Amino acid sequence: MGDAKEIEGRVTNDRPAAGIGPAGPSVAGPQAPRPDDHSPMALPTLLLGCLLVGASSTFIKLSGTTADTAAFFRCALALLVFAPIAVLEWRRYGRPHRRMVLFGLGSGVLLGADYLMWTQSILDAGAAVATVLIGIQVVVFPMLSRIFLGEQIQRRFLIALPVMIIGLGLTGGILDVDPNAPHPVRGAALGIAAGICYAGYLFAIRPASRPDRRMVVTPIAFGTASAAAVIGVVGGIGHGIDLHLDAHAWFWLIMVAICGQALSFVMIGYGSVRLAAGRAAAAMLLQPMAAIVLGTIVLDEHPAPSQYVGMAVTVAAVAMATIRGRIRTP
């Protein structure tokens, strides 16, 4: 679950805005381009990255593996991409600061919990429902900033909060559920819990990035490695990590790790720093929409009508909370 969610932080006071989908945050460096610099590839690249994030829940379900196995290999395989890039950053900018290492590893604990619960939510309630439910991070993140950092909560977040709660309740099946979902109630609870953990991860990864903003991948690599370790321990205690997978399962897990995490991270990072926050946040809405469409067409999921209404309400609340009507750049 892209990232990629820290949009507003690129244009105002280094404060990120969360989006839907656990893809991992991206952090703009000191030489980041000015937003809305009219790069012709910025919007298409961002849209493709968001599409890949939205498709990751479908990839996970198509793999046919357990939640522990899918979550573990999502991180472990992504490290094959992140690690060499992190080493290049160390050679260019020096060894990472201790603060970056500690906060990066600490954030990975929350990321591992997020991946475990979100993956199980996909299997329990469906790809579309799980991907929309995790959008609660959009509300939780500014609350954490308010509680621990004293940051002001903007009016649009307060307006979006009751709308989000109503949408999440309907999406989670408070009125009706998909009859083919094996454990819709448990899946809804895990999806919301995953969103809360992901908001915590976004909050924890911020101080990891501050010592040297030129190191974009290094803190993410530490977090991903820590998440893989946490998932491995939990999987070992539970049902275990399945290492004997067929080619079909390996293909889809590689798609999750490379396309749904590593490649999407690069694309969303490239596009979001080159667009105004409002446009970037609007593009992020493609993530839940892609999950809903692919879940219906590819996975033959059929949420209840009230759940579709809840998804629409939730996406509207996310738009209300993240899309700024006008961006003033100094």
Side-chain angles (χ1 to χ4, degrees):
M1 295 125 348
D3 159 54
K5 306 300 182 289
E6 301 184 354
I7 303 169
E8 288 184 353
R10 305 183 188 282
V11 292
T12 56
N13 300 326
D14 184 38
R15 181 181 179 181
I20 291 185
S26 59
V27 181
Q31 303 299 323
R34 293 183 60 185
D36 229 357
D37 67 353
H38 305 294
S39 173
M41 292 303 297
L43 183 58
T45 302
L46 178 59
L47 290 175
L48 180 56
C50 293
L51 179 61
L52 292 176
V53 172
S56 63
S57 56
T58 298
F59 297 161
I60 288 173
K61 202 162 184 181
L62 287 173
S63 71
T65 62
T66 64
D68 293 350
T69 300
F72 175 77
F73 282 113
R74 173 175 187 161
C75 295
L77 294 175
L79 277 177
L80 298 178
V81 179
F82 289 147
I85 301 175
V87 171
L88 291 176
E89 289 183 343
W90 301 351
R91 289 183 176 180
R92 184 173 182 181
Y93 306 121
R95 298 178 64 177
H97 191 276
R98 181 183 178 186
R99 181 184 178 90
M100 180 177 291
V101 176
L102 293 178
F103 275 96
L105 293 175
S107 69
V109 177
L110 291 168
L111 184 64
D114 162 46
Y115 282 164
L116 280 169
M117 291 188 288
W118 186 65
T119 304
Q120 187 62 55
S121 177
I122 294 171
L123 303 180
D124 285 349
V129 171
T131 303
V132 173
L133 286 175
I134 204 172
I136 195 174
Q137 58 171 292
V138 174
V139 173
V140 175
F141 182 86
M143 288 184 175
L144 292 176
S145 298
R146 173 61 179 172
I147 294 171
F148 293 103
L149 301 178
E151 295 184 5
Q152 294 296 322
I153 296 180
Q154 298 188 17
R155 182 178 301 176
R156 65 177 183 275
F157 283 102
L158 298 177
I159 297 174
L161 180 57
V163 180
M164 172 75 76
I165 293 174
I166 294 173
L168 291 174
L170 292 173
T171 304
I174 193 172
L175 295 182
D176 199 4
V177 297
D178 182 352
N180 296 319
H183 301 286
V185 176
R186 185 179 70 179
L190 289 174
I192 293 174
I196 295 173
C197 286
Y198 189 71
Y201 164 73
L202 288 178
F203 185 79
I205 200 67
R206 292 176 70 187
S209 304
R210 287 195 183 112
D212 191 341
R213 287 304 177 89
R214 297 171 300 177
M215 291 188 175
V216 177
V217 173
T218 295
I220 308 301
F222 282 124
T224 303
S226 177
V230 169
I231 296 169
V233 171
V234 173
I237 296 175
H239 299 291
I241 307 298
D242 188 3
L243 302 177
H244 304 287
L245 304 173
D246 56 24
H248 174 86
W250 279 117
F251 172 78
W252 289 113
L253 290 179
I254 290 172
M255 289 288 288
V256 173
I258 304 301
C259 297
Q261 181 147 337
L263 186 59
S264 61
F265 161 77
V266 175
M267 289 182 169
I268 293 176
Y270 173 87
S272 60
V273 300
R274 289 167 172 79
L275 295 170
R279 296 186 69 194
M284 291 291 183
L285 297 179
L286 181 62
Q287 296 178 21
M289 293 170 62
I292 294 170
V293 172
L294 290 174
T296 302
I297 297 176
V298 178
L299 302 177
D300 197 29
E301 296 178 349
H302 298 286
S306 61
Q307 288 182 293
Y308 278 118
V309 172
M311 293 178 193
V313 172
T314 302
V315 172
V318 171
M320 186 188 307
T322 59
I323 297 177
R324 303 179 67 180
R326 183 176 180 181
I327 303 296
R328 293 183 178 180
T329 303

